[in-house]
Amino acid sequence: MFGMKKLGLILCTAVLGVGLLAGCGSDTKKEAQLTQTAGVLKVGSETTFPPFEFAEENSNKYIGFDVDLSEEIAKRLGLKLEFVSMGFDALIPATQSGNIDMIAAGINATPEREQALSFSDPYFNEGGFITIVRKDNTNITKMDDLANKRVGVQIGTVPVEMAKAIPGTDVKELDSNSNIFMELKAGTIDGAILDQAVAMYYLKQGADKDLKLVGEGTKAPGTVFGFNKSNTALRDKVNGVLKEMREDGTYQKIYDKWFAK
């Protein structure tokens, strides 16, 4: 046994001598392998999803709950955050191809997505989905009343299948939540199904002059970060950081910034 340990020490010393650090106790290579680009955590998101992620007014800077969490995660992993905006339906392909390391877009771990991605532990367990209509609409008072109606949903999201499961719906898949709100106001759709936290945020920003929530929200399935299925190392590191953030109060501070009443 001692001989084997000594042989390992000699081999490791020799490798270090020629500057090849992999496999002999150096963490540098291991940490670099967490992400596609060494030292950078590239996070993809669909950035019209306040209060989770959206562009600051009159600025190209992205802000929101997911952005703040991603910044803290990158910091604790010793990485620089690069936040990338793209269409929601492009996020999974970008993760699979290695163009981004992590999805932070208010996503839920559905069985279909589990075939393409691995997921963090849930980091947001509130919200669910709810119906929103024009304020002058008196015919739709709950989600089931969307039957035989024109329903707006964001492409690639859980509400797409929810809307299609309601009998007779004419489902219109739109690129962003902002487009959903515009079409509701214009009357080109009768109602929409979307994330309750997002809907409530829009109403607080002034949309309640024209729109209202109806019925009860669905049970929240839990919001997660998404990763390439082969990159379990990054997923596990992120789970560890989320646990630390909850224990030391950092998570609560970020939560209160965006969701405190």
Side-chain angles (χ1 to χ4, degrees):
M1 179 64 74
F2 178 79
M4 290 298 293
K5 288 182 179 179
K6 184 176 181 181
L7 177 59
L9 178 60
I10 293 171
L11 289 173
C12 191
T13 303
V15 170
L16 288 173
V18 295
L20 300 177
L21 304 181
C24 288
S26 171
D27 289 332
T28 304
K29 183 65 175 177
K30 292 179 182 178
E31 293 301 320
Q33 290 175 342
L34 283 177
T35 57
Q36 290 291 319
T37 302
V40 177
L41 177 64
K42 189 175 289 188
V43 176
S45 185
E46 194 282 302
T47 53
T48 63
F49 196 61
F52 289 90
E53 45 268 321
F54 58 108
E56 190 173 36
E57 190 173 357
N58 301 319
S59 170
N60 292 323
K61 180 182 178 183
Y62 298 118
I63 59 175
F65 181 60
D66 281 349
V67 180
D68 286 353
L69 285 179
S70 297
E71 287 179 343
E72 185 65 22
I73 288 168
K75 177 183 174 183
R76 295 192 184 207
L77 293 179
L79 302 170
K80 178 182 177 181
L81 176 66
E82 183 178 338
F83 208 80
V84 183
S85 178
M86 60 181 66
F88 193 89
D89 56 339
L91 291 170
I92 291 178
T95 308
Q96 292 176 314
S97 66
N99 288 331
I100 59 175
D101 302 302
M102 183 173 91
I103 297 174
I107 65 170
N108 308 118
T110 65
E112 293 78 16
R113 290 174 184 160
E114 285 177 351
Q115 295 178 25
L117 301 171
S118 65
F119 299 105
S120 70
D121 296 331
Y123 65 88
F124 185 79
N125 292 306
E126 302 170 38
F129 302 102
I130 198 163
T131 304
I132 186 167
V133 298
R134 285 177 57 91
K135 212 162 190 177
D136 57 6
N137 188 308
T138 58
N139 298 318
I140 301 173
T141 60
K142 58 185 182 300
M143 196 172 292
D144 287 347
D145 291 338
L146 293 172
N148 303 309
K149 300 293 194 301
R150 298 167 299 174
V151 183
V153 289
Q154 187 181 14
I155 188 170
T157 63
V158 172
V160 173
E161 297 307 318
M162 293 175 64
K164 289 180 178 179
I166 300 171
T169 51
D170 177 10
V171 179
K172 189 169 186 178
E173 299 183 44
L174 299 162
D175 289 335
S176 66
N177 285 305
S178 57
N179 286 339
I180 290 175
F181 289 111
M182 286 191 292
E183 297 226 11
L184 275 171
K185 291 179 181 180
T188 52
I189 56 176
D190 300 305
I193 302 173
L194 69 163
D195 187 283
Q196 184 166 302
V198 174
M200 291 176 65
Y201 180 85
Y202 268 100
L203 294 182
K204 287 180 181 179
Q205 301 307 304
D208 58 344
K209 291 182 294 184
D210 304 299
L211 308 174
K212 63 181 179 180
L213 304 181
V214 294
E216 297 293 326
T218 64
K219 183 179 179 181
T223 303
V224 295
F225 295 121
F227 306 88
N228 187 298
K229 288 182 75 72
S230 67
N231 198 351
T232 56
L234 179 58
R235 179 202 63 196
D236 293 346
K237 287 278 189 179
V238 168
N239 280 338
V241 169
L242 287 172
K243 185 174 184 292
E244 290 174 0
M245 290 169 63
R246 290 185 184 278
E247 291 174 348
D248 65 23
T250 304
Y251 175 90
Q252 190 63 45
K253 289 179 182 178
I254 295 174
Y255 177 93
D256 288 345
K257 176 181 175 180
W258 295 105
F259 297 104
K261 293 181 174 61

